Amino acid sequence: MQLLRWFLFPFTILYTLIILVRNKMYDIGIFKSKTFPVKTIVIGNLAIGGTGKSPLTQLLLKHFGNKFRIATLSRGYGRTTKGFRLVQLSDPVLAVGDEPLQFKKNFPNMTIAVDENRAEGIEILQKDHDLIVLDDAFQHRKITGKCNILVFDFTSLQKPMLLLPTGNLRDTMNQTKRADMVVISKSPHEISDLQRVAIARKIRRYNPSVKLYYSFIAYLEPIALNSFSKLPSIDSDLQILLVTGIANPQPLLDYLGNKSTILQHLKFPDHHLFTEADYHRIISAFEAYQNPHKIILTTEKDAQRLDVSKLASYPLYYLPIQTKIEMENDFFQHIITCVNKP
């Protein structure tokens, strides 16, 4: 597969030229960006999917929820509706997208909204809110946020930084210059000085003064999605059927691999909508296990798209995660400084 992507390198050159011209048009003012008086935090990445933007968004909601009249605004990837929509707890996933629905379930009293036109969404929300967190909007250059947070996956920084389709970047690395803060997500808990220096050199080549932070995944206790409320302990005897439809399940596989030696992974594409054939595949794989000490495990994001009723007879759980930030107090203080700038 990787070899095939190198054959597509001429298309990478063409795509890079298109992105460079687009960004230049914004930089010199031919294409216009709109600013808003309301405090805005833009979270985004340069690569496709899987960098940990959504857990970071939830961290900001949790921290700032009691300090501001806060709202989140997302595109609502994969939804069948159009335009501005306030997310309700009763909404089906196809109406709002999996990540906004997850936000609403975790923060039911907060305003969670979706709109593919971020500028129009901000216009509506700013009337009743004084802080808006925009999930996955760094590339949406029609708006200029007060605080721009760019997220890079730790592992991805060890690889060549090439644009699609040969690489995984959807924008050029020089756009790091627009970030107020860079978060290196999914970092190992022990980072060597040499790794820190190499990463700082790669990032600050484009933005010498940018604030750089490292974040880590913290896995919480699994939560039941049906009547099987008592979870067997996750140990070497537990047989786990892991079902994921996320961009990068490798950190989860690494975590579970240290807990259980009996692990099967059914991997689906990011934002996958599960079909009858998929449920049959999941059930068949689970029933093939002879071990009575077994569960089906998924992610919180996938739990928004799974029809739990189709798996009602099986022990089904999801594994919540949290983002932990190194130098957390400094991180939040810098955000406050950013959003309060003129």
Side-chain angles (χ1 to χ4, degrees):
M1 182 64 180
Q2 189 57 46
L3 181 61
L4 174 62
R5 296 181 76 175
W6 278 106
F7 280 115
L8 298 174
F9 188 68
F11 295 99
T12 293
I13 296 174
L14 176 61
Y15 178 66
T16 301
L17 290 173
I18 293 170
I19 293 298
L20 287 171
V21 170
R22 172 184 179 268
N23 283 325
K24 191 65 175 179
M25 294 298 99
Y26 277 106
D27 291 342
I28 64 179
I30 295 177
F31 294 166
K32 302 297 182 183
S33 292
K34 188 170 183 179
T35 58
F36 297 87
V38 67
K39 294 177 175 64
T40 50
I41 301 173
V42 171
I43 300 175
N45 60 350
L46 300 183
I48 51 172
T51 57
K53 298 183 301 296
S54 294
L56 181 59
T57 299
Q58 295 197 157
L59 178 68
L60 298 185
L61 292 178
K62 182 178 179 181
H63 182 81
F64 292 118
N66 295 325
K67 300 175 177 63
F68 297 94
R69 295 177 299 158
I70 194 170
T72 70
L73 180 63
S74 307
R75 171 188 170 189
Y77 184 87
R79 68 186 177 115
T80 56
T81 57
K82 297 292 184 182
F84 181 83
R85 183 184 178 104
L86 290 174
V87 180
Q88 308 296 328
L89 285 171
S90 58
D91 279 334
V93 68
L94 283 175
V96 295
D98 50 12
E99 287 160 346
L101 187 58
Q102 178 181 322
F103 296 158
K104 188 64 179 179
K105 289 181 178 179
N106 284 322
F107 303 95
N109 296 322
M110 290 187 187
T111 300
I112 311 297
V114 292
D115 196 334
E116 63 274 16
N117 187 320
R118 307 304 206 287
E120 290 183 1
I122 294 173
E123 288 280 7
I124 296 170
L125 291 171
Q126 69 177 353
K127 300 171 186 175
D128 301 305
H129 303 87
D130 47 31
L131 176 62
I132 301 173
V133 180
L134 294 109
D135 182 34
D136 197 16
F138 191 83
Q139 278 192 294
H140 199 81
R141 295 203 61 182
K142 290 183 179 180
I143 60 169
T144 300
K146 291 286 183 68
C147 182
N148 296 291
I149 304 176
L150 189 56
V151 185
F152 287 95
D153 176 277
F154 181 90
T155 304
S156 72
L157 288 172
Q158 322 301 317
K159 302 175 182 177
M161 307 301 283
L162 296 171
L163 269 71
L164 295 166
T166 302
N168 290 324
L169 293 183
R170 52 183 178 174
D171 209 335
T172 55
M173 279 294 291
N174 73 343
Q175 290 308 297
T176 305
K177 67 185 180 183
R178 295 191 290 113
D180 298 290
M181 309 163 69
V182 168
V183 174
I184 311 301
S185 66
K186 302 180 182 178
S187 303
H189 287 277
E190 293 184 7
I191 309 169
S192 70
D193 291 340
L194 286 177
Q195 288 174 314
R196 290 177 186 269
V197 168
I199 288 172
R201 185 180 293 123
K202 183 171 286 191
I203 298 297
R204 292 195 169 118
R205 172 185 175 187
Y206 305 97
N207 190 337
S209 61
V210 71
K211 296 283 282 186
L212 185 60
Y213 298 91
Y214 289 87
S215 72
F216 314 89
I217 295 175
Y219 292 97
L220 307 181
E221 287 298 312
I223 296 175
L225 284 166
N226 49 31
S227 59
F228 292 83
S229 58
K230 183 173 175 55
L231 175 71
S233 59
I234 298 182
D235 54 32
S236 59
D237 295 325
L238 180 66
Q239 195 149 13
I240 299 174
L241 176 63
L242 179 64
V243 178
T244 67
I246 58 176
N248 180 17
Q250 191 57 50
L252 177 56
L253 286 167
D254 293 341
Y255 171 77
L256 292 173
N258 291 326
K259 297 281 187 178
S260 173
T261 57
I262 314 172
L263 177 67
Q264 180 181 352
H265 182 205
L266 296 183
K267 182 180 179 182
F268 297 91
D270 195 18
H271 300 285
H272 180 70
L273 296 176
F274 294 92
T275 65
E276 290 294 332
D278 296 330
Y279 290 112
H280 178 74
R281 181 184 171 194
I282 293 168
I283 292 170
S284 296
F286 186 74
E287 290 183 339
Y289 292 167
Q290 300 301 313
N291 185 357
H293 196 52
K294 57 183 180 178
I295 63 168
I296 302 173
L297 187 65
T298 191
T299 69
E300 187 172 8
K301 177 177 167 179
D302 289 307
Q304 314 309 315
R305 286 176 275 106
L306 279 169
D307 185 346
V308 176
S309 67
K310 307 242 182 236
L311 301 169
S313 301
Y314 302 91
L316 176 64
Y317 300 83
Y318 75 86
L319 192 66
I321 64 172
Q322 284 184 349
T323 289
K324 301 288 186 181
I325 303 285
E326 188 180 72
M327 300 170 55
E328 187 174 87
N329 291 338
D330 185 76
F331 172 76
F332 289 126
Q333 185 55 52
H334 191 62
I335 290 176
I336 292 296
T337 301
C338 282
V339 298
N340 285 326
K341 65 188 177 186

